[in-house]
Amino acid sequence: MRELGKTNMKIKRVGFGGIPIQRITQEETNKVINELEVQGINFIDTARGYTISEEYIGNAIEGKRGKFFIATKSMSRDYEAMKNDIEISLKNLKIDYIDLYQLHNVKSEEYDEIFADNKAYRALLEAKKEGKIKHIGITSHSLETIEKVVENDKFETIQFPYNIVENQADEVFKKANEKGTGIIVMKPLAGGALDDATLAIKYILSKDYIDVAIPGMESIDQVKQNSAVLNNLELNEEDNKKIEEIKSTLGKRFCRRCEYCLPCPVGVNIPANFLLEGYYTRYNLKEWAKERYASTVGKANECVNCGLCETKCPYNLPIREMLKEVCAKLG
């Protein structure tokens, strides 16, 4: 157990990620949430964008409000849209207040704009003053965004991808920890690319400056397995050997979303395409990924095969080939 930054939320270091329950039933969700209580996992993260996730969780925690800290998030950037989303989240989750409300997936170029009078941050501040939310956080896939966040005191928590093959946030996490900003790790299994969940979570939580990892869970067995990791967080020689093997193999075709490949001359959003392909392939959220892809600006099929991105990628990924794979799956 530890406090999440300066929020006074004392949470277990393994939390619950609410993406995968989109593909199970309400009854199955109830069983998973019940097992969270049994295992003492008390931090639940969901989002407005995860289709029925908020509703399923709201139904499952009814009568158990005191057992969990609830975090959700919204992609809304405007004041009125964010106000509306907060009300929808409260209704869906069937609660009077939300412990942590986060601005969802903020890009670097959006960051400075969200603090204007007609933008989302103002709505969050008002909701906090009214007692509808307790704390304000931010999530992003952009390291530059998180670096900006840590330089000011506008957010109490950051949520960012981190795992065996995506560890570029190490230094900013250490700095955030020193400043008392809560650190929530998403994508601990690299979006499902890592098979050994125990090793993946152990790798993350062996680093004391990280507060909580939130693997997506959709079964009682997954809850038990992920919770059991906390019994021993010390990496041994065999663990370290496996970690290096994973880095050397999976790392050759895995996008870390560092965005060095951008800007693309024709506007292809390369990291976003790979992220959606991961939801399609590894999370098995096929229809949801296709819907997101359809509304994405800068689709993979707009690539003109110039190869400029590959000259800028620090991991030497075969980006053009990988974009063709996105097209084959998502359209």
Side-chain angles (χ1 to χ4, degrees):
M1 305 291 288
R2 72 155 65 193
E3 287 191 7
L4 180 59
K6 296 178 180 177
T7 64
N8 295 320
M9 289 192 282
K10 194 172 184 180
I11 62 172
K12 200 155 188 172
R13 292 190 71 200
V14 170
F16 174 80
I19 289 181
I21 61 169
Q22 296 175 92
R23 59 180 179 238
I24 63 175
T25 65
Q26 178 68 67
E27 184 179 358
E28 290 168 321
T29 301
N30 294 346
K31 292 177 181 178
V32 170
I33 299 297
N34 287 341
E35 189 60 32
L36 293 183
E37 183 181 356
V38 170
Q39 298 297 331
I41 293 176
N42 62 344
F43 183 78
I44 294 176
D45 179 84
T46 181
R48 291 288 313 111
Y50 301 164
T51 62
I52 42 74
S53 180
E54 281 187 338
E55 292 96 320
Y56 276 10
I57 289 169
N59 292 330
I61 65 170
E62 203 165 6
K64 302 180 180 184
R65 180 65 182 96
K67 302 288 185 180
F68 302 104
F69 293 107
I70 306 298
T72 191
K73 42 196 176 290
S74 166
M75 290 284 292
S76 290
R77 301 293 186 252
D78 296 328
Y79 171 76
E80 290 295 342
M82 178 59 80
K83 279 189 68 171
N84 186 54
D85 267 356
I86 292 168
E87 295 300 328
I88 294 171
S89 291
L90 287 166
K91 181 180 178 182
N92 287 344
L93 291 162
K94 297 184 175 181
I95 53 181
D96 296 327
Y97 67 92
I98 293 160
D99 297 283
L100 175 65
Y101 212 96
Q102 303 157 104
L103 270 167
H104 193 177
N105 194 19
V106 178
K107 298 175 177 61
S108 177
E109 61 270 21
E110 298 176 309
Y111 185 74
D112 293 331
E113 299 174 7
I114 59 178
F115 304 109
D117 281 347
N118 62 337
K119 295 297 181 180
Y121 189 76
R122 177 188 158 206
L124 292 171
L125 286 177
E126 289 181 4
K128 185 177 181 181
K129 190 175 181 179
E130 294 165 359
K132 293 178 179 179
I133 64 177
K134 298 295 185 183
H135 305 282
I136 300 172
I138 189 169
T139 85
S140 183
H141 292 272
S142 163
L143 186 62
E144 187 177 347
T145 296
I146 298 303
E147 288 171 340
K148 289 180 179 179
V149 172
V150 175
E151 290 304 318
N152 60 44
D153 298 315
K154 295 183 182 296
F155 296 97
E156 295 166 88
T157 64
I158 55 175
Q159 185 176 151
F160 192 79
Y162 187 92
N163 51 65
I164 290 172
V165 289
E166 286 182 284
N167 56 10
Q168 62 267 28
D170 252 327
E171 293 307 313
V172 72
F173 276 1
K174 290 174 185 176
K175 192 171 183 178
N177 177 255
E178 289 172 4
K179 295 188 72 172
T181 303
I183 299 169
I184 304 165
V185 165
M186 60 168 148
K187 306 289 185 295
L189 275 65
L194 301 174
D195 297 326
D196 190 338
T198 296
L199 179 63
I201 297 169
K202 191 176 179 182
Y203 169 82
I204 295 164
L205 297 183
S206 66
K207 302 171 190 299
D208 193 55
Y209 47 86
I210 292 173
D211 292 316
V212 60
I214 51 169
M217 295 183 256
E218 58 180 316
S219 71
I220 290 173
D221 287 342
Q222 288 175 357
V223 175
K224 289 179 178 177
Q225 179 185 355
N226 293 339
S227 180
V229 178
L230 293 171
N231 295 330
N232 177 20
L233 292 177
E234 189 174 341
L235 295 169
N236 57 37
E237 188 176 340
E238 185 180 350
D239 291 333
N240 286 321
K241 184 179 178 182
K242 287 180 181 176
I243 287 166
E244 290 307 313
E245 288 174 355
I246 291 168
K247 286 181 178 180
S248 64
T249 53
L250 180 60
K252 292 175 182 176
R253 289 185 69 85
F254 189 86
C255 174
R256 281 80 163 177
R257 295 180 283 273
C258 66
E259 299 188 348
Y260 289 127
C261 58
L262 301 178
C264 163
V266 295
V268 175
N269 189 335
I270 297 165
N273 279 278
F274 292 151
L275 179 64
L276 291 173
E277 189 270 340
Y279 283 125
Y280 180 94
T281 304
R282 297 189 289 269
Y283 274 98
N284 197 30
L285 294 168
K286 291 182 167 54
E287 292 307 314
W288 187 68
K290 281 185 174 181
E291 288 173 11
R292 287 296 183 93
Y293 180 75
S295 61
T296 294
V297 176
K299 295 181 181 61
N301 60 7
E302 296 170 19
C303 172
V304 294
N305 211 37
C306 71
L308 179 62
C309 54
E310 294 181 7
T311 68
K312 297 189 287 182
C313 176
Y315 303 100
N316 299 312
L317 298 180
I319 295 175
R320 288 174 289 181
E321 184 181 329
M322 292 166 67
L323 287 172
K324 287 174 184 175
E325 292 169 4
V326 173
C327 293
K329 291 168 184 170
L330 298 180

